[in-house]
Amino acid sequence: MAKSPELLKKDYSLSYGRYDMMRKKITQIIAGAFFLSLFLTGCGADVSVIVESIEASTTIEADTEESNAAEAVSASGLAAETPEPAQEPAEEPAITMESTETSAGTETPAPVYTFTDLSAAMYAKSAVNVRDLPSTEGKRIGGLSPNQEVTVTGQCSETGWYRIRYNGGDAYVSNKYIVSEKITSDAAGQASMEQQPGNAESGDIAGGVSIPPTDEDVFQPYYLRDVAEQIFALVNAEREAAGIPALAWSEDAYNVAAQRCIEADGHSGARLGTGENYYAGPRNTASDIHQAWHDSAEHYDNYMSSSYESGAVAVYYNGSQYVAYEVFVMTDSAAAASFIL
């Protein structure tokens, strides 16, 4: 039967008391042995044997008592509390401060161009693009036709391109295509015949005529969709101001108008069921092209007609002039022929 904690504590106290009495008894025995050794030394007895015998006996008794005391403690389930050595505070790990900022992708700074001022009338020796920066990185904003005269106001120190006056502002064109004198028809024809891919590297001279390089500087025809949409908005503004319903933009009509700009045959190729206005010339802004139609009574009446429900405008630069077509889709296709101008 298990003892209660109170009885176990009592047994432990009694065991520890017996152990303490035994310790005192052993101390007395050792002291008596010491005095006995002094007495026997005078008689010539072997003191070491006696002392060893006493120590052995004492050790056995002491071990027995310690064992009994330990067993009593273990049986009671009360472990003697042994003070733990004081622990030094653990050293805190060093804190490494790391930046949480990520290196943001730095934008490439815009190139800085410097110019040497010039003032000269020069000519395009072939069709060439006009850009808003003095390099092929610039946006194409127009073009020059062969032998078109321009006013050169400066030359870029970094790229060699010319700065020119264009549509009332500054623009840039490759210096490879601008010359101080007009190209004669014979020379222009020879240059045209020799501008075949692979005939010469950029800048080579053939028959005394500089052959334009085959790179992005070489002119390619292009559409001005933004200008076309602005013209369409001007048309609708006039129609609405006059109480006429605005036209709906039609991508189908735009595709027709874009094709008509390439054909550029006046009205010979007008599509059945459509009406159209045609323009060809140097103007390339929405207001200028629209004004040209506005100032013509026939063209004005055409785009103001209430017979149209939808349409579109396309503007195209072919290297020598700007071509624009307004194409209108009529509600009555049979009547379309009478509105082709």
Side-chain angles (χ1 to χ4, degrees), residues 197-321:
N199 281 355
E201 296 296 330
S202 299
D204 280 358
I205 304 297
V209 178
S210 177
I211 299 176
T214 55
D215 56 18
E216 289 188 35
D217 294 343
V218 177
F219 174 80
Q220 296 178 356
Y222 59 91
Y223 291 95
L224 291 83
R225 175 71 180 244
D226 55 340
V227 174
E229 292 178 351
Q230 291 169 20
I231 294 173
F232 195 74
L234 292 173
V235 169
N236 275 336
E238 280 199 69
R239 289 173 64 93
E240 291 179 324
I244 304 171
L247 298 172
W249 178 275
S250 167
E251 281 297 315
D252 290 337
Y254 177 77
N255 291 334
V256 171
Q259 184 62 38
R260 296 292 292 127
C261 286
I262 295 175
E263 296 168 0
D265 57 4
H267 299 296
S268 299
R271 306 303 192 259
L272 182 63
T274 65
E276 62 181 28
N277 280 342
Y278 167 66
Y279 167 84
R283 303 181 185 185
N284 66 346
T285 66
S287 59
D288 285 347
I289 295 174
H290 178 69
Q291 191 65 40
W293 283 325
H294 176 84
D295 293 343
S296 168
E298 291 180 336
H299 291 85
Y300 174 82
D301 290 342
N302 195 21
Y303 71 70
M304 293 292 286
S305 173
S306 59
S307 299
Y308 301 137
E309 289 185 341
S310 62
V313 182
V315 181
Y316 181 73
Y317 183 65
N318 59 18
S320 60
Q321 63 181 354

Side-chain angles (χ1 to χ4, degrees), residues 30 48-63:
I30 293 174
S48 62
V49 175
I50 298 172
V51 173
E52 288 177 359
S53 176
I54 294 172
E55 290 178 350
S57 175
T58 304
T59 301
I60 292 172
E61 291 180 359
D63 289 343

